[in-house]
Amino acid sequence: MTAKRASFTLRCTTKHDFPEDGLILNFNNDFYSCDEHGNGWSSPILNGRNIDASMLDWRYAFQMESPDNKWRFKFPNSHIRIFC
């Protein structure tokens, strides 16, 4: 029997080009970073390490925004969240 492990990261998506230097995002006075991964999706959003998206309380909406307020990602609340 082989033990398996799943990891749930947090990513954002946009129709715009990501900045060349990546993004710095603020959430609850903590700073996170990500780069463009491809097809409008970011790399995992990091704060020194991956955010475990399964540990977030998705019953409440939250948003992350860049310090210059040019970028904002909204994560709506939901009682059901499907992780793939």
Side-chain angles (χ1 to χ4, degrees):
M1 181 176 217
T2 302
K4 302 274 183 169
R5 180 179 292 204
S7 62
F8 301 98
T9 59
L10 186 63
R11 295 173 185 251
C12 53
T13 185
T14 181
K15 294 178 183 176
H16 304 285
D17 291 332
F18 277 78
E20 289 292 321
D21 297 334
L23 281 172
I24 302 295
L25 300 168
N26 182 8
F27 172 62
N28 285 346
N29 296 319
D30 286 324
F31 290 93
Y32 300 83
S33 63
C34 64
D35 295 302
E36 183 173 13
H37 179 72
N39 295 326
W41 284 94
S42 75
S43 61
I45 299 173
L46 306 172
N47 180 354
R49 58 185 173 85
N50 285 341
I51 298 172
D52 183 350
S54 69
M55 298 303 291
L56 296 172
D57 191 345
W58 290 101
R59 294 175 297 171
Y60 304 99
F62 66 95
Q63 66 183 18
M64 300 177 112
E65 56 188 55
S66 63
D68 61 7
N69 292 316
K70 291 183 179 179
W71 291 85
R72 179 175 297 134
F73 296 99
K74 296 179 180 181
F75 299 88
N77 65 318
S78 178
H79 290 286
I80 299 172
R81 187 66 63 172
I82 298 173
F83 296 97
C84 300

